[in-house]
Amino acid sequence: MVSRNETDLSSTASGATGPTLPTGVPPRASRRVVGQDLDEALTFFGDGYDLRAPRVRRVRPTTPWTFGGVGDGRLSLVSSRFGVDLRSESRVDDAFLVAWMSSGASTITYGGDEVELRAGVPVVLPFADVYQLHHHDIALNLVHLDRDHVRAVVGDDEFAFEALRRPTAEGLRTWQETVRLHSPRWLDVSNDLGPLEQRDIAEAFVRAAIAAFPERSRWRAVVTGTGPEHERLRKALEFVHDHAREPIGTPEIAATAGLSPRGLQQSLRRNLGQTPGDVLRAARLDGARTDLLRGAPDGTTVAQVARTWGFGHLGRFSASYRARFGELPSESLRTG
């Protein structure tokens, strides 16, 4: 990966069979490919990043392209350049890709949103779903984080990052410091890293990504499809998730999504088979369960948690809780 201080990649392999670095854990392996042939470049990048029906326009007489990377089965640091105007769909299922430009222009379209990448500002690309990209004479840095390794570090088999959300200022500093600290040693394959150091560097990148980028909301993930209705519904669910402790109801949820109350009801019924009340109740029950599992039995009461999440009748709260989670709130509190 060429970072902002232009770290060079080693060149130990060549040939255009796709930008896939070796799987399996140690040792690290490096690869660098340089070319001018447009068809060769499309085959190379298309295989590795599942480019679907790419449309390409030359921006200069020649078509310079490069790929360089060092990785193992958990972490790969990659840089590439493709001197064309490229429009395509793409999808990656086995890794979380953190991307930032060094030069050029790039727009990613996903879930009804269009996001322009900014030089030096990393984002996580969409995961396990199709998105549209438009690259123009781009030099791009990528960090590949193996999906299963990230989920093992997090301890959640369904963990995913929220796509295309820029990091906070503090998160960006954490990410850049990790890149600055660990990239030179990782990229220098003449350094024979021991298994423990290699693992520690991979985990450092995972933890930096967790600190920098938000987790994908499970509420957004339950809505399939990429049309305007689906994105409005995701906004409604995200609002519920973020404001479930507050005295909100159907009118507030609908307004956030740009829908009428009746339109929200119809959309929820059509896509999820639920009512706004069902969604809000589930969010509050989930929040209550989190508080109960984290609470100390000698300092937290079921009644306190129920009131916090808007449940005024303790008996009905306990019955709803048991129906959703298969145990009473008091049992969750004791085992938390």
Side-chain angles (χ1 to χ4, degrees), residues 225-238:
T226 58
E229 178 189 11
H230 302 101
E231 188 56 27
R232 284 194 292 268
L233 195 53
R234 290 188 185 98
K235 289 179 180 178
L237 296 177
E238 194 168 65

Side-chain angles (χ1 to χ4, degrees), residues 53-288:
R55 304 186 302 282
V56 179
R57 178 174 60 84
R58 295 181 187 272
V59 297
R60 55 169 58 88
T62 60
T63 310
W65 66 275
T66 63
F67 171 88
V70 176
D72 60 12
R74 297 167 296 202
L75 168 70
S76 296
L77 307 186
V78 171
S79 68
S80 63
R81 185 186 175 203
F82 200 3
V84 299
D85 188 275
L86 169 66
R87 296 175 185 266
S88 181
E89 291 187 339
S90 181
R91 172 171 176 152
V92 176
D93 292 81
D94 57 354
F96 301 113
L97 305 185
V98 182
W100 66 99
M101 295 188 309
S102 295
S103 63
S106 178
T107 301
I108 306 295
T109 303
Y110 177 68
D113 292 330
E114 189 174 275
V115 176
E116 291 186 8
L117 300 190
R118 291 161 47 188
V121 180
V123 297
V124 180
L125 297 181
F127 168 74
D129 203 356
V130 175
Y131 63 94
Q132 292 76 46
L133 61 85
H134 180 195
H135 294 332
H136 182 87
D137 196 13
I138 192 171
L140 189 67
N141 302 300
L142 290 165
V143 174
H144 295 217
L145 300 171
D146 176 71
R147 173 199 61 202
D148 294 337
H149 179 59
V150 171
R151 289 175 171 177
V153 172
V154 175
D156 182 349
D157 290 341
E158 297 182 1
F159 177 89
F161 294 100
E162 186 70 60
L164 302 177
R165 296 289 184 89
R166 293 189 177 102
T168 63
E170 183 178 353
L172 179 59
R173 285 193 296 270
T174 299
W175 177 259
Q176 290 177 333
E177 176 64 16
T178 300
V179 172
R180 185 196 65 78
L181 180 64
H182 293 297
S183 292
R185 186 154 176 79
W186 184 269
L187 291 168
D188 184 359
V189 292
S190 65
N191 288 327
D192 187 16
L193 300 181
L196 291 180
E197 184 179 5
Q198 191 167 322
R199 183 202 63 192
D200 288 347
I201 291 175
E203 290 195 4
F205 272 91
V206 172
R207 297 194 185 282
I210 293 168
F213 306 105
E215 179 181 357
R216 184 171 67 187
S217 166
R218 303 281 175 86
W219 295 96
R220 292 177 62 86
V222 299
V223 180
T224 59
T226 58
E229 178 189 11
H230 302 101
E231 188 56 27
R232 284 194 292 268
L233 195 53
R234 290 188 185 98
K235 289 179 180 178
L237 296 177
E238 194 168 65
F239 177 78
V240 170
H241 177 73
D242 291 341
H243 299 274
R245 291 176 183 262
E246 302 169 18
I248 60 172
T250 299
E252 291 81 8
I253 301 169
T256 297
L259 294 167
S260 67
R262 182 170 176 80
L264 174 66
Q265 291 168 347
Q266 291 174 336
S267 184
L268 279 170
R269 187 177 300 113
R270 182 164 49 247
N271 288 277
L272 301 179
Q274 294 180 302
T275 67
D278 293 335
V279 170
L280 183 55
R281 188 179 307 107
R284 287 172 169 167
L285 286 169
D286 287 347

